[in-house]
């Protein structure tokens, strides 16, 4: 190989630079940070269990939105037979009215920015102090 | 092959640098549009399409016009165009790229643009337009790559490419026809509601595109020491003369139908175009310039002596392009909206950021074109094609 | 090496394309859960919704904007002060603009000088639906021409195709221009098209359209066109009615009593 010294130095510098965010987070202690979504209505029953919701809420909302907007269907029957209005603002957010401490916890951690709130109205409680 | 584009003189790099600066300025303007919305353009509720879509329409024509060198060469074995076909195909590639960029910057929600393919909608002409444009780009990339590679290696191109080339001919016609259908199928807009729109688009394209190619050839002869020869340019001159005559004939047909039938909703648009309506006469000086240039170009093109002089041919080509660009790139789209469906005369003038983005997309097109032509010339010099 | 650089780039490019289209298959998952959806009774339903506007009653109170205010406030329609960015679902239009082919110099003065309320015609044969490249706008079985703001790419082809100027585009973020946000209805985001939805959201909750409810003169009458006993049919039987630009074949479902 020509210029082996230069090439290898270059590769090392490149690797250091590209992995810098990881080192930085380890050094600053952020690497151990875990998102902590808070449930503020512990006595209420969600329409499905927490594990399922954690994994699937986005797909479920996606389907709800098509059903409501495109099919004109509005009522959803949960596995336990209870019925819910398929509405992000009027159903989900009635219990989870703490958007900043609930939705944003994981979304910010994962750096996903769903554009739901460009249009749908956030619950009043959290409109202050969060943008 | 692309490495050929990395070796060039001062003039080459200087030109690329100028283009890059323009592109970066346009990118900044686009960032502003991306963050603020299309409100930074001159578009409005009453004139929802403007400069971007008009440039798209004009450039679809330039892209389609590659067929004017491809068809004589491959179907009629017209050898004079041998050095030219690749230039036509490269021009088509850069034009289609510009077309796509113009559509992209015109979208209110550019990040959702794949919805057109996630929810394919055969009853929408816009869906078909994206399909034929993508197809045309693919065809030209494949054809130019395969034929040029064979040429470089000094072997005959593979047999399977011939049917692909033949397919590209009607495909070129289709891209401009479907683009015309975007407009001519709308009951709401009487200005475009005319069956002659597609043929008119094609005629103007087959004049403007080859005219552009002539100018490119003259420029390359002067600056890049690459001469396609006298004959092909003369022949292109004839093609442009025919296409321009037919285009002007079609425009006169439009005028006759609108003016003689005297149907107000058809008349008003032409009135706006040539005289202005309610004191709104933004387009009037441009349109008269366009018509005068059209007549000048016709004189230069139709008299054989004038046409065969390469300086005058170049001049004729410039007048053709400017005339048709005003006609399609300014008049055609905007006038469809004035007066509006509610009878209102609303002013539309492109804003500075809108112009900046437009110019920058042209710069991207020219950058692609320069690089592709550079490769073509370098390879041909290498294999001794002088 | 089994694959050269150019080959690699080609394969990489093609797989990216394949990846982009892959999401289309996800929709299949929705099938199963759709069965868990039920209809509830409170919904207002019709075979074909239509509206009759009584132009005489509408013009009784000069300067009345009750229907417009009601509609725009329940649907969070922003109020821009310039016509360039303007968004409107329902508005007053001069007679000539609304009915260009019906206007003439000696027309009854009260009609000629009237400013009919106009909004989406919910055409039976809607050109906007025909041109939309993503099916973001479509006609429901009950005749309502709907918009799906989630899917709209903002190409504005529907705005271009609508012969009535019924569609508005969000040239900028509308939120700062909404005086008071109604939390029961979403706002729109920058870059989508919007228009009157015949209050599909209210019909689903058993309420009549907001404009109809707000009109004290009862100039707006809403009902099922397919039901011969409905009030709209009764009015159409007994009055002379006109529609906007009927010659275009769009079949508007808004009828004006003149």
């Amino acid at each position: 190989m020509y210029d082996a010294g230069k090439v290898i130095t270059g590769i090392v510098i490149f690797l250091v630079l590209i992995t810098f965010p990881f080192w930085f987070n380890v050094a600053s202690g952020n690497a151990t940070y875990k998102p902590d979504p808070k449930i503020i209505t512990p006595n209420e029953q969600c329409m499905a269990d927490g594990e399922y919701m954690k994994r699937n809420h986005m797909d479920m909302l996606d389907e709800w939105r098509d059903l409501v907007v495109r099919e004109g269907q509005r009522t959803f029957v949960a596995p336990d037979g209870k019925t819910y209005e398929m509405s992000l603002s009027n159903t989900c957010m009635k219990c989870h009215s703490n958007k900043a401490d609930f939705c944003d916890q994981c979304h910010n951690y994962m750096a996903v920015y769903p554009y739901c709130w460009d249009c749908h109205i956030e619950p009043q409680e959290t409109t202050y102090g969060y943008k | 092959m692309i490495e050929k584009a990395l070796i060039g003189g001062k003039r080459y790099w200087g030109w690329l640098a100028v283009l890059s600066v323009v592109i970066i300025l346009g990118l900044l303007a686009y960032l502003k549009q991306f963050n603020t919305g299309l409100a930074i353009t001159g578009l409005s509720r009453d004139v929802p399409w403007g400069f971007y879509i008009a440039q798209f329409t004009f450039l679809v024509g330039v892209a389609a016009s590659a067929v004017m060198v491809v068809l004589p060469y491959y179907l009629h074995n017209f050898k004079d165009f041998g050095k030219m076909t690749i230039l036509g195909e490269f021009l088509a590639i850069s034009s289609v790229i510009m077309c796509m960029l113009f559509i992209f910057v015109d979208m209110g929600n550019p990040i959702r643009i794949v919805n057109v393919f996630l929810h394919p909608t055969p009853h929408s002409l816009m869906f078909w337009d994206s399909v034929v444009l993508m197809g045309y780009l693919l065809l030209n990339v494949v054809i130019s790559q395969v034929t040029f590679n064979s040429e470089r290696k000094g072997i005959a191109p593979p047999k399977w490419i011939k049917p692909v080339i033949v397919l590209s001919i009607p495909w070129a016609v289709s891209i401009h026809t479907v683009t015309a259908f975007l407009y001519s199928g709308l009951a709401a807009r009487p200005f475009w509601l005319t069956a002659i729109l597609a043929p008119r688009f094609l005629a103007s394209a087959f004049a403007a595109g080859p005219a552009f190619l002539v100018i490119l050839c003259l420029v390359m002869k002067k600056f890049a020491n690459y001469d396609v020869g006298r004959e092909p340019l003369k022949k292109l001159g004839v093609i442009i003369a025919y296409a321009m005559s037919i285009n002007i004939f079609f425009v006169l047909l439009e005028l006759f139908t609108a003016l003689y039938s005297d149907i107000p909703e058809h008349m008003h648009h032409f009135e706006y175009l040539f005289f202005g309506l309610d004191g709104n006469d933004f387009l009037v000086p441009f349109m008269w310039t366009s018509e005068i240039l059209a007549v000048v170009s016709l004189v230069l093109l139709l008299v054989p002596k004038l046409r065969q002089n390469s300086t005058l041919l170049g001049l004729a080509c410039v007048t053709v392009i400017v005339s048709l660009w005003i006609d399609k790139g300014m008049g055609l789209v905007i006038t469809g909206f004035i007066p509006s469906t509610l009878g209102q005369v609303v002013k539309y003038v492109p804003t500075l950021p809108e112009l900046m983005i437009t110019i920058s997309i042209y710069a991207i097109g020219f950058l692609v074109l320069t690089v592709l032509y550079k490769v073509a010339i370098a390879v041909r010099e290498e294999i001794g094609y002088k | 090496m089994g694959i050269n650089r150019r080959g690699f780039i080609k394969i990489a490019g093609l797989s990216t394309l394949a990846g982009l289209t892959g999401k289309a298959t996800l929709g299949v998952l929705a099938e199963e859960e759709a069965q868990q959806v039920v209809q509830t009774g409170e919904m207002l339903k019709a075979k074909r919704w239509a509206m009759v506007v009584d132009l005489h009653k509408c013009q009784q109170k000069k300067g009345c904007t009750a229907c417009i205010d009601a509609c725009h406030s329940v649907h969070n329609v922003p109020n821009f002060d310039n016509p360039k960015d303007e968004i409107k679902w329902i508005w007053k239009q001069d007679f000539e603009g609304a009915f260009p082919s019906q206007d003439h110099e000696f027309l009854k003065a009260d009609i000629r000088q009237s400013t009919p309320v106009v909004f989406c015609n919910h055409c039976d044969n809607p050109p906007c639906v025909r041109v939309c490249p993503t099916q973001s706008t479509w006609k429901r079985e009950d005749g309502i021409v709907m918009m799906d703001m989630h899917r709209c790419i903002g190409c504005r082809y529907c705005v271009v195709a609508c012969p009535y100027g019924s569609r508005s585009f969000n040239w900028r973020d509308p939120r700062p221009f909404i005086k008071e946000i109604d939390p029961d209805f979403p706002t729109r985001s920058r870059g989508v098209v919007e228009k009157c939805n015949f209050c599909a959201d209210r019909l689903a909750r058993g309420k009549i359209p907001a404009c109809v409810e707000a009109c004290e003169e009862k100039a707006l009458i809403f009902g099922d066109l397919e039901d011969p006993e409905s009030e709209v049919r009764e009015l159409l039987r007994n009055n002379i009615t006109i529609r906007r630009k009927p010659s275009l074949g769009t079949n508007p479902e808004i009828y004006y009593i003149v």
Side-chain angles (χ1 to χ4, degrees):
Chain A
M1 200 198 303
Y2 299 107
D3 293 328
K6 281 183 194 164
V7 171
I8 290 168
T9 319
I11 291 175
V12 170
I13 293 176
F14 173 74
L15 285 176
V16 169
L17 280 180
I18 204 164
T19 52
F20 176 74
F22 299 102
W23 304 121
F24 182 80
N25 274 341
V26 168
S28 66
N30 277 344
T32 52
Y33 170 80
K34 265 190 189 162
D36 177 26
K38 288 196 179 59
I39 308 276
I40 52 168
T41 48
N43 299 327
E44 291 286 337
Q45 178 64 46
C46 193
M47 47 153 282
D49 78 283
E51 269 317 300
Y52 177 86
M53 291 306 285
K54 257 183 212 167
R55 285 174 203 286
N56 299 305
H57 68 281
M58 59 301 261
D59 293 329
M60 194 202 75
L61 284 171
D62 207 39
E63 285 169 26
W64 276 21
R65 129 185 135 177
D66 279 354
L67 286 168
V68 172
V69 180
R70 305 191 71 89
E71 317 285 330
Q73 321 268 22
R74 296 218 165 218
T75 313
F76 183 78
V77 186
D80 64 359
K82 267 188 160 176
T83 59
Y84 297 89
E85 186 194 357
M86 290 186 274
S87 167
L88 171 65
S89 300
N90 298 333
T91 305
C92 306
M93 301 309 283
K94 282 286 173 313
C95 289
H96 303 292
S97 58
N98 52 337
K99 173 175 169 292
D101 285 336
F102 186 72
C103 312
D104 298 342
Q105 278 291 314
C106 298
H107 290 163
N108 288 347
Y109 179 72
M110 299 297 291
V112 291
Y113 303 103
Y115 50 77
C116 313
W117 313 106
D118 287 1
C119 299
H120 294 274
I121 318 290
E122 298 175 20
Q124 278 300 310
E125 291 91 313
T126 57
T127 44
Y128 301 102
Y130 181 80
K131 172 97 179 95
Chain B
M1 215 183 322
I2 195 80
E3 71 276 0
K4 299 276 180 217
L6 297 175
I7 304 155
K10 261 190 193 155
R11 201 148 45 193
Y12 172 69
W13 287 113
W15 170 237
L16 290 192
V18 169
L19 291 177
S20 308
V21 170
V22 176
I23 292 170
I24 288 167
L25 288 176
L27 210 62
L28 293 175
Y30 184 69
L31 272 181
K32 192 175 172 211
Q33 183 186 300
F34 190 82
N35 290 322
T36 318
L38 283 157
I40 67 156
T41 66
L43 299 169
S44 63
R45 197 179 188 283
D46 295 291
V47 186
W49 282 353
F51 222 51
Y52 296 150
I53 294 292
Q55 303 317 306
F56 155 78
T57 310
F58 177 74
L59 288 167
V60 171
V62 177
S65 72
V67 77
M68 284 288 115
V69 286
V70 170
L71 188 146
Y73 182 67
Y74 286 104
L75 285 193
H76 299 283
N77 211 11
F78 185 72
K79 290 276 183 275
D80 280 349
F81 280 171
K83 287 175 91 173
M84 204 100 110
T85 47
I86 192 76
L87 302 181
E89 285 154 4
F90 282 167
L91 179 60
I93 290 175
S94 54
S95 305
V96 176
I97 289 173
M98 286 191 268
C99 289
M100 290 175 167
L101 287 171
F102 274 117
I103 291 291
F104 185 81
V105 299
D106 192 64
M107 291 296 122
N109 260 310
I111 47 169
R112 290 188 196 161
I113 201 159
V114 277
N115 277 1
V116 176
F117 300 103
L118 293 181
H119 310 285
T121 311
H123 54 68
S124 170
L125 263 308
M126 198 175 277
F127 165 72
W128 287 111
D129 213 18
S130 5
V131 170
V132 292
L133 269 182
M134 294 256 205
Y136 192 64
L137 180 63
L138 193 70
L139 279 174
N140 274 288
V141 169
V142 169
I143 292 169
S144 58
Q145 220 212 352
V146 169
T147 54
F148 200 58
N149 256 335
S150 312
E151 185 185 325
R152 189 188 188 192
K153 292 176 188 151
I155 53 172
K159 275 221 164 69
W160 60 264
I161 198 70
K162 187 73 191 274
V164 180
I165 293 169
V166 173
L167 174 68
S168 81
I169 292 168
W171 204 289
V173 176
S174 85
I175 62 168
H176 219 16
T177 305
V178 176
T179 304
F181 284 178
L182 276 184
Y183 299 100
S184 65
L186 303 176
R189 311 288 173 181
F191 182 60
W192 302 325
L193 192 68
T194 158
I196 211 171
L197 201 66
R200 197 183 138 195
F201 271 21
L202 285 165
S204 72
F206 293 160
F212 199 60
L213 209 50
V214 168
I215 292 174
L216 288 173
C217 287
L218 293 175
V219 168
M220 280 192 293
K221 189 176 168 189
K222 187 145 194 245
F223 295 104
N225 202 18
Y226 181 79
D227 192 1
V228 291
R230 287 283 304 132
E231 266 322 294
L233 291 191
K234 272 189 193 167
K235 284 288 185 281
L236 276 183
V238 176
I239 289 175
I240 300 165
Y242 273 110
M244 192 64 184
S245 315
I246 295 172
N247 175 58
I248 291 174
F249 176 59
F250 284 171
V251 173
L252 292 173
L253 295 183
E254 288 260 47
L255 280 170
F256 169 79
T257 308
L259 301 184
Y260 194 83
S261 70
D262 216 6
I263 301 172
E265 55 191 28
H266 288 267
M267 278 260 296
H268 285 329
H269 293 290
F270 287 99
E271 216 177 314
Y272 168 74
L273 208 49
F274 290 108
F275 304 104
L277 269 183
D278 299 354
N280 194 332
D281 52 7
F282 166 60
L283 282 181
V284 174
F286 290 103
M287 285 318 289
W288 286 107
T289 311
S290 168
E291 300 314 321
I292 291 165
L293 288 179
V295 173
V296 171
S297 74
L298 214 52
V299 173
L300 290 174
L301 288 167
L302 288 182
V303 182
K305 261 213 181 110
L306 302 178
R307 180 175 73 215
Q308 279 154 11
N309 175 315
S310 79
T311 317
L312 288 180
L313 178 63
L315 185 69
C317 288
V318 173
T319 54
V320 165
I321 292 172
V322 176
S323 168
L324 293 179
W325 180 82
I326 294 174
D327 185 45
K328 246 167 153 178
M330 292 185 77
L332 179 97
V333 174
I334 303 167
T335 309
F337 301 110
I338 305 171
S340 75
T341 51
L342 297 166
Q344 270 139 1
V345 178
V346 181
K347 200 173 169 178
Y348 165 79
V349 180
T351 60
L352 193 64
E354 196 176 357
L355 287 175
M356 201 54 241
I357 292 169
T358 304
I359 294 168
S360 142
I361 292 177
Y362 273 104
I364 293 173
F366 274 106
L367 188 92
V368 173
L369 191 69
T370 308
V371 168
L372 290 176
Y373 276 21
K374 172 81 184 166
V375 172
I377 295 172
V379 167
R380 283 186 172 164
E381 269 171 0
E382 187 185 84
I383 58 176
Y385 203 115
K386 282 228 89 179
Chain C
M1 210 162 111
I3 177 172
N4 63 14
R5 186 189 39 158
R6 184 175 298 162
F8 172 74
I9 295 172
K10 276 181 196 159
I11 290 169
L14 287 176
S15 0
T16 315
L17 268 183
L20 281 177
T21 47
K23 182 137 198 325
T25 54
L26 273 181
V28 183
L29 297 173
E31 299 273 322
E32 196 184 320
E33 288 203 42
Q35 295 161 0
Q36 300 173 332
V37 171
V38 292
Q39 290 286 0
T40 44
E42 56 179 335
M43 219 178 229
L44 289 185
K45 282 188 183 165
K47 288 220 175 75
R48 182 152 48 130
W49 288 117
M51 184 102 84
V52 173
V53 179
D54 188 327
L55 211 48
H56 302 285
K57 285 186 184 168
C58 176
Q59 302 297 313
Q60 272 171 16
K61 218 194 295 176
K62 281 271 164 277
C64 173
T65 55
C67 55
I68 302 171
D69 299 340
C71 167
H72 287 186
S73 90
V74 300
H75 293 118
N76 292 324
V77 176
N79 180 21
F80 294 97
D81 279 332
N82 65 68
K84 187 174 165 297
D85 292 334
E86 192 179 24
I87 290 175
K88 47 193 182 186
W89 285 28
I90 173 169
W91 72 97
K92 287 180 157 186
Q93 181 69 43
D94 63 287
F95 186 82
E96 192 193 346
F99 298 96
S101 54
Q102 315 279 354
D103 182 57
H104 65 84
E105 198 184 339
F106 306 108
L107 189 70
K108 243 175 110 215
D110 62 330
I111 293 291
R112 195 167 194 225
Q113 280 149 22
S114 68
T115 49
V117 282
V118 294
F119 39 99
C120 173
N121 276 300
H122 295 278
C123 304
D124 227 20
N125 180 16
C128 54
V129 170
R130 205 180 310 147
V131 301
C132 177
T134 58
Q135 297 147 53
S136 298
T137 191
W138 73 99
K139 202 182 89 173
R140 302 205 315 190
E141 289 202 340
D142 59 3
I144 296 181
V145 176
M146 274 291 278
M147 263 303 296
D148 184 349
M149 320 282 178
H150 305 98
R151 195 186 277 189
C152 175
I153 59 172
C155 70
R156 311 186 295 295
Y157 201 4
C158 56
V159 185
V160 175
C162 174
Y164 309 102
S166 298
R167 289 174 164 268
S168 308
F169 180 71
N170 285 276
W171 299 98
R172 57 175 81 240
D173 180 16
R175 276 216 182 155
F177 300 90
I178 306 170
K179 263 185 222 115
E180 209 170 326
I181 292 183
D182 188 330
D184 286 339
F185 197 77
T187 65
R188 265 68 63 197
S189 62
R190 182 187 62 216
V192 297
V193 171
E194 63 180 273
K195 65 166 194 77
C196 157
N197 64 352
F198 245 11
C199 280
D201 53 305
R202 287 170 59 92
L203 296 175
R205 296 189 168 93
K207 294 188 209 162
I208 59 168
C211 54
V212 178
E213 193 179 83
C215 182
E216 285 175 13
E217 280 69 34
K218 304 270 172 260
L220 302 174
I221 301 95
F222 182 72
D224 188 353
L225 203 67
E226 301 272 300
D227 173 9
E229 305 305 314
S230 68
E231 198 184 348
V232 288
R233 283 290 290 276
E234 176 75 23
L235 286 166
L236 292 177
R237 257 196 303 275
N238 300 326
N239 294 279
I240 293 176
T241 46
I242 57 173
R243 295 189 292 175
R244 295 177 64 196
K245 301 189 182 176
S247 65
L248 299 184
T250 55
N251 267 333
E253 293 302 12
I254 314 294
Y255 299 80
Y256 292 84
I257 298 179
V258 288

